[in-house]
Amino acid sequence: MVAVLVLLSLLFVWSLVSDQVARWSITAPIAFAVAGVVLAGGDRPVVSLDLETHTFQRCVEIVLAVMLFTDATEGREYEWRGKSVGEGRLLGLALPGSVVLATLFGALLFPGTSWWLLAVAALVVMPMDLAPVLMFLKDERVPLRVRAALNIEGGFNDGLISPLFVFCVANLVSAEGDSLGDLVLNALKGAGYAVLAGGVLGFLAARLVRWALDAGWATPAGLRMASLALPFLAYAASVLIGGNGFVAAFVTGLCYARTAHAIGSDNLDLVYDVSHLMALAVWFTFGKLIADEFAHGIDLPVVAYALLALTVARFVPVAAALVGTGFSWAERSAIGWLGSRGVTSIVFAVLAYTQLEGDDAAFVVNVTCATVLLSVFLHGVTMEPVARWFARHPQSEAPSTMVGPDQ
């Protein structure tokens, strides 16, 4: 109860001062992370958070499910423009390439570490999250297609990563009698049940919402509660039948997105607000992780890994994947550089922490904390210079220069 009281008090205070402190480049994630360090870290914390309880793990899973639902619905924002922004290449080529590079960098910097653990770490630190560069997406000095590419990639990459993350963690914690074939079969069954549950729920929800509107039984504003209920329903229904709750929530968002946007933008405002509130709680937890993991310093290989994950492992695959598209070199560079890390990585790290043992859990949390911290600093400092560069060097927005992902 103390944790709830503190978080709500922080939220209230932040709402009063957010516009003023924004002038000093202090964002909500930074503020809540610092609060987590001060209030939840150390030997005698004001707020006690036990990350190892089953209840806490379930709460984090629900947070991720809601985030995946909102990401799936936000990814349709630019669909009406009728042209590709390279999302197929970013998600189908650059993202797997980044995960592979991060895994190889981990093998070089942490010799002797299990390949499964290195894969888990890569899957945790490589999905981008736009919280540290949120203002960049609203900056009209930046070409719309650059912002659209980042927005769509950020919306979909965690949905693609989540089943792989669950599979790799399962390999680390599985009983000795479980073969790789058994784990693959279980993962495929879980994903299949999740797609079925999410698809059916999203389709039925879309049809029922449209019917209620046409019949005059509900108003768009009143249906915001229905949209809020969907990610929770998807997660619960999928888990109940043995499916992956994350995949189900993501698929539900994909199926429901067109209807939600057709009703009106305010239809999803409530679920977006709840997702944002949950994200701030995650940043508070991140502050505790920082305080606990880095209380005695940080190892140089961890810093090196974080830097490589943010730079080479991100930039090279993105720049290569977008060759031959309508993006200029400057635009490809901006997309490659501004792959910020945030809530998605933190949530995956907390889930890994609750499921892995001892040193394995500490390893994933250490590299995640270092990567997210560096991202908040590096991307926060550089997004304004990038926007200024585009203001001085306007880019052509001709639709004909864009190509589809398979071209």
Side-chain angles (χ1 to χ4, degrees):
M1 185 59 68
V2 174
V4 174
L5 177 64
V6 169
L7 284 172
L8 292 177
S9 298
L10 287 172
L11 179 65
F12 180 79
V13 173
W14 174 256
S15 66
L16 299 179
V17 303
S18 57
D19 286 347
Q20 178 64 33
V21 298
R23 302 175 183 177
W24 307 324
S25 298
I26 299 176
T27 63
I30 294 175
F32 275 73
V34 171
V37 171
V38 174
L39 299 175
D43 297 331
R44 296 180 178 179
V46 176
V47 179
S48 179
L49 295 177
D50 188 353
L51 307 186
E52 299 181 5
T53 64
H54 177 74
T55 300
F56 185 86
Q57 177 183 341
R58 187 66 75 189
C59 289
V60 174
E61 290 177 353
I62 292 174
V63 169
L64 181 57
V66 175
M67 288 171 49
L68 289 170
F69 176 85
T70 57
D71 285 346
T73 56
E74 285 181 321
R76 305 291 287 270
E77 181 179 352
Y78 297 91
E79 189 178 60
W80 64 273
R81 293 184 176 270
K83 57 182 180 180
S84 166
V85 288
E87 64 274 16
R89 298 190 182 202
L90 288 172
L91 296 169
L93 298 176
L95 181 59
S98 294
V99 171
V100 170
L101 275 181
T103 304
L104 294 176
F105 288 145
L108 291 174
L109 291 168
F110 308 103
T113 303
S114 162
W115 282 100
W116 286 115
L117 184 58
L118 293 174
V120 168
L123 291 167
V124 169
V125 302
M126 289 316 301
M128 63 172 290
D129 179 80
L130 299 171
V133 294
L134 195 58
M135 296 306 298
F136 187 84
L137 294 183
K138 302 176 182 178
D139 197 325
E140 295 185 355
R141 294 174 295 178
V142 182
L144 176 60
R145 59 189 176 192
V146 171
R147 291 180 279 140
L150 289 169
N151 189 54
I152 295 174
E153 183 190 3
F156 289 148
N157 63 5
D158 46 1
L160 300 176
I161 287 291
S162 60
L164 296 175
F165 168 79
V166 171
F167 173 71
C168 290
V169 170
N171 275 277
L172 286 170
V173 302
S174 63
E176 293 182 1
D178 293 337
S179 66
L180 180 61
D182 292 333
L183 292 170
V184 171
L185 180 60
N186 289 335
L188 291 175
K189 287 172 61 177
Y193 289 148
V195 170
L196 177 63
V200 170
L201 179 60
F203 174 78
L204 289 178
R207 294 296 296 268
L208 289 172
V209 164
R210 287 184 178 274
W211 173 81
L213 283 173
D214 293 341
W217 284 27
T219 63
L223 288 170
R224 288 180 295 181
M225 292 295 292
S227 298
L228 174 61
L230 282 178
F232 297 94
L233 285 172
Y235 174 84
S238 182
V239 170
L240 188 63
I241 64 174
N244 185 314
F246 307 142
V247 174
F250 186 73
V251 172
T252 300
L254 290 177
C255 296
Y256 184 69
R258 187 183 297 275
T259 294
H261 288 296
I263 294 173
S265 59
D266 62 341
N267 180 256
L268 293 168
D269 285 352
L270 181 58
V271 68
Y272 288 165
D273 287 342
V274 170
S275 178
H276 182 61
L277 177 60
M278 289 179 166
L280 293 180
V282 171
W283 282 104
F284 185 85
T285 305
F286 177 61
K288 172 183 170 54
L289 291 175
I290 295 172
D292 292 348
E293 297 299 325
F294 296 156
H296 304 293
I298 180 172
D299 295 333
L300 185 59
V302 173
V303 177
Y305 180 85
L307 284 171
L308 288 171
L310 291 172
T311 56
V312 180
R314 163 72 185 180
F315 188 90
V316 172
V318 169
L322 294 179
V323 169
T325 66
F327 290 108
S328 66
W329 170 249
E331 291 172 328
R332 296 202 304 272
S333 299
I335 295 171
W337 170 246
L338 289 169
S340 57
R341 313 299 199 276
V343 175
T344 301
S345 294
I346 299 169
V347 170
F348 280 142
V350 172
L351 289 175
Y353 181 88
T354 60
Q355 297 178 56
L356 301 180
E357 297 182 356
D359 293 339
D360 288 353
F363 172 74
V364 174
V365 171
N366 275 336
V367 297
T368 303
C369 288
T371 303
V372 174
L373 272 177
L374 282 173
S375 176
V376 170
F377 174 74
L378 293 176
H379 294 122
V381 168
T382 57
M383 64 177 178
E384 177 61 23
V386 171
R388 289 178 181 174
W389 191 93
F390 279 118
R392 294 193 301 268
H393 304 83
Q395 307 290 299
S396 171
E397 290 279 5
S400 61
T401 62
M402 298 307 298
V403 298
D406 299 324
Q407 291 179 274

